[in-house]
Structures are given as C-alpha cells and as structure tokens.
Amino acid sequence: MQTYFNTLVDTLTTHLTGDEVFLCYFNGEQSDFIRFNRAKIRQAGIVVQNYVQLELIDGKRHAIGELALSGDLSIDGSRMQQLLSDLRAKLPFLPDDPYLLYATKVQHSEKLGKNQLPNVQDSVDEILTTVQGNDFVGFYASGGIFTGFANSLGQRNWHSSYTFNLDWSFYHDKDKAVKAAYAGFQWNNEQFQSKISQSLAQLTLLKRPARTIAPGAYRVYLSPTALYEIFTLLAENSFGLKAQKSKQSALFRMLAASPQQLHSTVTLRENTLAGVAPTFQNQGFTKPDNVTLIEHGKYQSALISPRSAQEYDVITNGADSTERPCSLDLAAGHFAMQDILSELDTGVYINNLWYTNYSDLAACRITGMTRFATFWVEKGEIVAPLNVMRFDETLYHILGKNLLALTNEQEFILSSNTYERRSIDSARLPGALVDDFMFTL
Amino acid sequence: MFELLQRNFHRVVPKVDFCSLRYVEEYSENLAVRQDITQPVKTKHDSGMMITVIDKGGIGYAATSDLSETGLNNAIKNAQLWAQRTQNRTITDFSKIIMPHRSGHYTSNMTQAWSQTSLADKLTLLHDEAALAKIDDRIVDWEASLWFIQRNQLYLTNYGGEISQTHHYLLPNIIVTASQGNETQRRSLGALGYCRQGGLEVLEQIDFKGQAYQLAEQSLQLLLAPNCPNKKTTLVLDADQMLLQIHESIGHPLELDRILGDERNYAGTSFVTLNMFGNYQYGSPLLNVTFDPTHSEQLASYGFDDEGLPAEKVYVIQEGILKNPLGGTISQKRANITGTANSRANSWNRPPIDRMANLNVEPGNSSFTDMISRIEQGVFMQTNLSWSIDDSRNKFQFGCEWGQLIENGELTQVVKNPNYRGISATFWRNLIQVGNIDTFQLLGTPFCGKGEPNQSIHVGHAAPTCVFAHVDVFGGE
C-alpha cells in the first residue's frame, strides 16, 4: 500500500501548475471484525477501506478534498486528477487564508509494522472455545492500519501497524458484568487465558447480592480504565491552543490570572514516543517525542496545530487540526497496586466509568456513571458489587485537592474506538485513590 | 454506477441462502466562517459496497471500495468465507430468517439544490451571519457553518430485490461563545439540531438568517446570570432539548438489539424487557411516540431500511403504553415480536443494526403561553449541551445551554448551567402538558453512536414543548 500511495502521489505531482503545492494524507485499513453475544457470533466480516485527503494550495488559498480509493491505480489516478481539478476550480472563489501553514522543510519518516497477527480462524476458535458456558459478549478487531503523508515538495512519511483488540464483557445478570480487553501485536495464548481467568474471578464476586449506596461523598479507587474514560472526555476539548485561547477548554481556569491547579503529583504528557500513533500529521509537521501538558499540577503547554500557530503567533508542535492528544501519559505515583484495597479501606472500587460529560464545563465538573464491575469495599475487603451510581464531580477535586495517591504502575490502554476507522489512540495511566468523590443519583 | 453493479451482481451472485449488495455513494461539503475568516473548504467523495451472505445458518459480510468486477468477486468470496466460518456458531440460524426482497425508489424533496448557489454566495451568506455575532468584546468566538450531504444508495438481493434511494441533507449551525473572567457560556443553533433533508431551502424553513445576533445576545445574558437553582420543580423542555430526552431515554431503551443483548459490551443494555410490550406504562397518558419516516424533510426519513424493509409509521408508545420496539427484520425474528424498518448502517463499510430513524413525540393541545401560564414555579430549558445516561438507559443527567425561571405563570430570570436529572422509568410518567403543533419542531442529530464496529448515524426527533412535574434541577459550581 505504501508503494501504491507513493505512485499515486508521484503521478499527481506532474499535474500541478504554476506555484501550486499539494499535501496528501492517506489512511487505510484491512480489518476483520467479529461481534459476539452470549458466546456466539452475531456479525462477522471484513472491511477494506483506503482514503486519501488532498489539499491544494496556491499562495494563501487552499481547499481540501477526500476520496475513497478503489485500489486500481488507473481508476484512482484519474479520480485524483479530477479531484485536483475540482479543488483548483474552487480556489478563485476563496479568499486568502491568513492562518494557512504547512511544512516546507522536507522530513521523511518510515515506520513499518511487522504483521505477526494470528490467523483469524484460529482466533475465532480460541475465543469461542475458551468462553463457552459463560455469557460472553464482545468484539474482536484485527488487521493492518496504514497512514501516510506526502507533499509535492518531496516529503514522504509512512506508518503501518498490525494490531488486534479483543474487548469483552462477561455478564452475570442484567447490568452486572466484568469488562476486560486483550490487545496487542502478537497473540499469546497464555496471556489471553490469564486475562480470561482474571475476568471470571471478578465475575464470581459479582454473584454476591448487590448493594445500593445513598448519594453522597465516598472514598473511591479509580482504575486506569476508569481514569481513561475521564481523559477521553478531556481530550476532546481541553488541551488544544484554540480551545484554551477561545475560553472553551474545560481546563481554561488553569490559565486564569489566579489559576486553578491540580494535585502536585499530577504530570500529564502527550507521549508520542511511547504511543502507537504516527509521528507526522496532515500538514507534514513532525510531532516531538513529548509535550508536557500539565507538570506538578500546573498548566504547562498546549497542543498547537499549524493553524492555531498562525492564528495566535506561536510555534506549532505538530498537533493535528483537532488538537486532541492521542498518546496521553499520566505519570505514575508511589502507591503500590497490591495495596489498593487496604489503602481504600472502606469505599468504592471503580473498574469502569461510562458516558461522561460536563455538567459545568468552565468548572471542569464532570458527570458520568459507574459501569461493569464496581464494588463496595469494607476494611480492605470486597464486600459486594454495587448497583450503578451517577457521579458529578470537578476534576479539580478528583485530581486536585481530593487526590490521595496515584499507583506506582501505569496500564497501557489501546483504544477500542472504531468510529469511521480503527483508532490508533492509546494511553498510559495509573490508578487513583480519591477522597470525597461525589455520587448524586 | 448503479447499472454496472446491477449487471455484475446478477452475473456473479453465488448460490447461497441469501446474498445482498449494498452500495453507498456520498458526496459532502463543509463550509464554515469562524471569526470572519473562511475556514478551509472541505469536500468528501466516499463510495463503496458491502456484500452480505447468509448460508447454512452462517452469516458474513465483506466491504470494499473496489467497485470493479474483480472487487465484487473478492467481496463475495470473503463474505462467503465468513458465512462458512460462522456456521453452527451464530446467535441464531440466519438461514431461517426470511429477508426482504423488495423493489422501490425513494428521493428526498429538494427545491433549492446546493449546487445551484455558487460557492462564493454561500460563503458570503456565512460571512454575513457570522458578522452579526461580534456585538461585544466578551464575544470571544463565533462560527457559522453549512454541511451538505448527498447520498445515493443501491440495494440488490439474490432474489430480485432492487431498491435505490437518494437523500440530500443540510446541516446548518451557528455557535457563539462569550467569556468574562472565569466564566464561559455558549449558545448555538439548537446544537446542530436544525438539520434536515433538503437543499438550501432548509435555511428559510428554520429562519437561519439573523440567528447569530440573538444567540450572541443570549450568551452575554448567560454570563451575567445566576446559576440555575437546586430544587425539585416543574420542568419545561423546549423541542431542542426534547430531541435529546427522546433519544436517550425512549429511543435507545427501545432498540431491540439492546434488549437482545447485542450492545451490552459497548452501548449498553436496556431496562426494557420483551414482556413489557403491550402493557407497560412508559409515560403518562399524554405521551404518544411514533417511529415516523413520513415527514419528508426530517433527517431520517427513507423509503426502506438497509435490509430492504419498507418504512411505515408505527406507534411505539400510545397514550403512555409501550407498544412496539425498534427492531428490524433480524431482531424481530430473533425476539419473535413485530418492530419497525430500522435496520440501518451509517455507510458502506459498516453492517446494518437497529437504529432509531425518526422517533417523534406527537403534539398535544396546549399552546406555549397556556403551558407557562399554568406553572407557579418552574424552570424552562432550551438547547442540549450535556448528556449522560447509564447503560440500561435509566439514570440520566442532562444539561442545557439556556435556562429561565418560571414564576407565577411567566418566564422571568435567565439562569446559567441549567441541568436536571431523573430516571427514565419514572420521568415520562410525570409528563403533565404537551405542546400543540405550534410548538412542534422537526429536529435531528447526525451523531448517534452505537455498534461494534462503531457507527455514527443520522436520526430525527420531532417534538413539541413538554412539561414535567417533580424534576430535580440544579446549576453549576
């Protein structure tokens, strides 16, 4: 696919006229998808999709078009040329764009993933054999993901990876279930069986009579997966320069004259080096290994797209146009994983949060639900599963004044998001022990 | 392309229990003006097909954007392979389900085609609108945008089914943000809710021009407003919040695939069970909810769903009693219950699942003025801003952009950060007034997320203004 993309782009370069420049961004995948319900298959199939986004620039005018590629060089070549003509026809009707910025220094890169994925038939056999006798519901996605960039200045970048992600739940009854995932590059049956065993052990705990707690403030442990739900919400609009400058970031009070702060143990980075996403973006800029967003609880820097860099007269750090982080890394703390229950003592052990949203964005107050295996803990012992509870709490409490400790280990979480395409977002997060976490319903 | 696919499909269709080809071609264009600067103009031309094969009980699909005969042959081979792999391992014997083999055609109504107005004129319209928003230094961000989509679909089956459908959508929006000190507030054009099928005539239908000024004024009012009070009171929801209330606490719980457990690993389950249909008191007797594909300008109107089932109006709740679930051909068979034509996919590269389409609350008899005049104490809320609900679709908390107190039968003080929470199973039983046709608005959203692999799809929700008793409302920090 890399050769195919480069051939398309090389051909297109010959069709430019005058001072025209183009930027070309490719994303494609070949994915097997299997959907399970009650340890049976509900849907299964394969999706092959390849898209190219072409941006034509002439001076300060530009327009962008995206195409689904067929895989046939002659057809796609013609369609790319037609797209180029269509974009060219738009430019006279567009004003100069004062915020246009693209990379003019050529920086090639290539990261080729090795395909070590299991045969999909073997995966199906292994999964179904292992989960028989349980109410297993889940989703398996597997295959290659390809990203490329090229411009008419000669820059070429390519990134490929071959991953699988099995995301599942074992259900006991109604909404009582254990959620887990096994993701990676190479299937290891021992690891898979171990993950399944851990899930089933938690499922046993869920069979105890469930408890309902009254609304109020509780000491809680938020697992890395639960924290990931909060950071997934924050990622949408909190860390970009545009959101911060236009006061729409949920964290904009961290930049106020009298800034709000998080706990001094909170250091958050966009850790591109440790992630699985490409290091290049749509305008051809290369991302730095790390961008420190929050350091020791204080705002440090933003993710800055080329467009925001022009608008606010700063230097871009290679963020894409959404200015969303895709490889978040929250530094580990000092509290040992094996001490979670004893440190929690009496309170709520939360494995998963669900459906978070803002109840007061300016105050970064977030509401959401507990979901899957959430337990009531007394004197360091799991006593009972908890019926779902709604929380409504500000981040300045959760990771600020009410944060007691972060675990000394991080968990690597690979996003299971498949909207439009398989996500290559990931995160490295510890767990958090939090006091006075407010449940409301 | 339609003719080529028809010819090729019927030439190579395999001898299996069921085989379909679903082709989707979509052209979209995004225009936006932010802070008086034209944003990068973006177009997208997407096209591809999905082959579905059912054979000997198994099921498989293959999606590709290679539309050649070779691409078709490969897709059929891959779909057959998956159907073989899944034999004797599926949740149901798919070969026992009689899939529709219908023929027909559907086209959106459109009187002002997108292409008939020049790019320059459309951008001028957006510049003019955006310029209305900057009325004060505290207006820190403002944007006006248009998103146009044309979608052509072809659906073919191995027993002669042949359905073609063409849809045109226009999704206009305006967002104005005001900020001062530690406070930020925003107003939008129904949070994108005024999206409809059609062309540029939609802008006249929704009175688009001039809205930016009013939204800017309101965002400034919100900056100075006190927080919404915390109390149990009467709640009045305007149509652009009813949209969300219907969607989350009626639409999703009634999706048959959720009730059957398919979504439990992602979107969630439902507090509704199969034995509730026909007898469960979902809401007060004022509540009438329809699955209604007949409003041609509503976002999710269509002639057939993506498995070829003809779309018809169905009452899902009538006089408060739960009547029918939202489930297509496969779910209906699995659950042994009647449903609706709502098996839909968001594009060629995702398989159909049970979705909402248009799910509407039917209008009642009360005028807006009469409803407000009957309320001694309450809060009026408008335009969704925040949504969160549990995985059984029961415990919810929603927030709005705009709130106003109701005191002694009149709308009075503006309040910021209006939120409310409740439980679906009891909330709708406290429906005490339903607005008449004058308060009824055709709204929708292009972003309903569900399914594995994930799909974001268009849904429509028309509703009148409604009044609910005994609701917990509250404000921000």
Side-chain angles (χ1 to χ4, degrees), chain A residues 133-409:
Chain A
N134 295 288
D135 186 358
F136 171 87
V137 54
F139 178 60
Y140 179 77
S142 172
I145 301 174
F146 314 98
T147 314
F149 174 83
N151 61 23
S152 54
L153 306 175
Q155 181 168 327
R156 300 289 183 268
N157 307 87
W158 190 257
H159 180 278
S160 65
S161 61
Y162 297 83
T163 60
F164 69 88
N165 196 336
L166 176 65
D167 185 276
W168 75 86
S169 314
F170 280 123
Y171 267 79
H172 163 54
D173 185 36
K174 294 180 180 170
D175 64 353
K176 297 291 177 295
V178 175
K179 173 91 164 172
Y182 176 47
F185 303 92
Q186 191 171 13
W187 185 279
N188 180 310
N189 218 30
E190 280 183 20
Q191 285 177 10
F192 171 60
Q193 295 294 339
S194 169
K195 289 257 183 185
I196 289 285
S197 299
Q198 289 169 31
S199 290
L200 290 173
Q202 282 205 333
L203 190 66
T204 305
L205 295 170
L206 280 180
K207 292 175 181 171
R208 298 179 186 177
R211 181 173 293 201
T212 299
I213 58 173
Y218 291 85
R219 187 179 176 97
V220 302
Y221 170 71
L222 295 168
S223 76
T225 314
L227 273 186
Y228 185 57
E229 176 66 26
I230 290 175
F231 278 109
T232 301
L233 176 70
L234 290 171
E236 286 299 318
N237 71 339
S238 299
F239 302 113
L241 187 67
K242 176 183 161 189
Q244 291 175 359
K245 291 285 188 184
S246 62
K247 314 291 185 187
Q248 295 173 84
S249 163
L251 298 176
F252 89 95
R253 288 184 183 172
M254 293 186 78
L255 291 94
S258 302
Q260 294 255 28
Q261 294 182 8
L262 299 177
H263 195 276
S264 60
T265 58
V266 173
T267 292
L268 186 69
R269 293 187 177 86
E270 168 70 340
N271 190 350
T272 301
L273 188 66
V276 293
T279 57
F280 51 88
Q281 53 86 268
N282 300 42
Q283 280 77 35
F285 288 97
T286 300
K287 300 179 182 189
D289 289 349
N290 286 282
V291 177
T292 302
L293 306 169
I294 295 168
E295 188 156 35
H296 302 308
K298 295 178 184 171
Y299 169 80
Q300 189 68 22
S301 54
L303 296 175
I304 306 167
S305 69
R307 190 167 187 81
S308 289
Q310 285 293 90
E311 181 173 356
Y312 301 109
D313 197 21
V314 294
I315 295 171
T316 180
N317 53 22
D320 68 19
S321 61
T322 65
E323 299 185 330
R324 285 178 63 255
C326 46
S327 307
L328 272 179
D329 183 323
L330 178 63
H334 302 292
F335 141 57
M337 289 288 232
Q338 64 266 29
D339 297 335
I340 291 170
L341 288 176
S342 60
E343 290 290 328
L344 177 59
D345 188 39
T346 295
V348 183
Y349 186 110
I350 300 172
N351 266 308
N352 300 82
L353 293 175
W354 161 248
Y355 223 130
T356 51
N357 211 324
Y358 298 104
S359 54
D360 182 350
L361 184 134
C364 202
R365 202 176 83 186
I366 297 168
T367 186
M369 297 298 304
T370 64
R371 189 177 176 186
F372 299 112
T374 297
F375 298 103
W376 178 248
V377 176
E378 282 180 3
K379 296 177 182 171
E381 298 284 337
I382 289 177
V383 173
L386 205 62
N387 286 319
V388 294
M389 290 295 293
R390 170 167 296 287
F391 73 92
D392 197 344
E393 187 58 279
T394 164
L395 189 79
Y396 300 115
H397 291 169
I398 301 170
L399 293 182
K401 69 173 192 174
N402 293 343
L403 178 65
L404 298 173
L406 295 167
T407 60
N408 62 2
E409 290 176 40

Side-chain angles (χ1 to χ4, degrees), chain B residues 41 109 161 167 181 191 215 234-235 247 256 295 316 332 356 399 464:
Chain B
V41 170
N109 289 331
H167 292 86
L215 295 171
T234 301
L235 175 65
H247 183 88
L256 200 41
H295 293 287
V316 297
Q332 288 178 38
M356 272 175 244

Side-chain angles (χ1 to χ4, degrees), chain B residues 8-68:
Chain B
N8 287 344
F9 178 72
H10 290 301
R11 191 159 57 219
V12 300
V13 66
K15 289 180 180 170
V16 291
D17 295 335
F18 175 80
C19 182
S20 68
L21 179 155
R22 186 170 53 81
Y23 167 72
V24 180
E25 178 185 30
E26 189 171 290
Y27 174 79
S28 63
E29 196 163 333
N30 282 77
L31 305 179
V33 171
R34 174 178 171 254
Q35 296 190 7
D36 305 328
I37 303 291
T38 302
Q39 300 300 291
V41 170
K42 293 180 181 173
T43 59
K44 182 173 181 179
H45 195 161
D46 194 7
S47 57
M49 63 181 167
M50 174 172 280
I51 298 292
T52 300
V53 167
I54 295 175
D55 199 34
K56 298 183 178 66
I59 190 167
Y61 64 80
T64 178
S65 49
D66 181 356
L67 301 169
S68 67

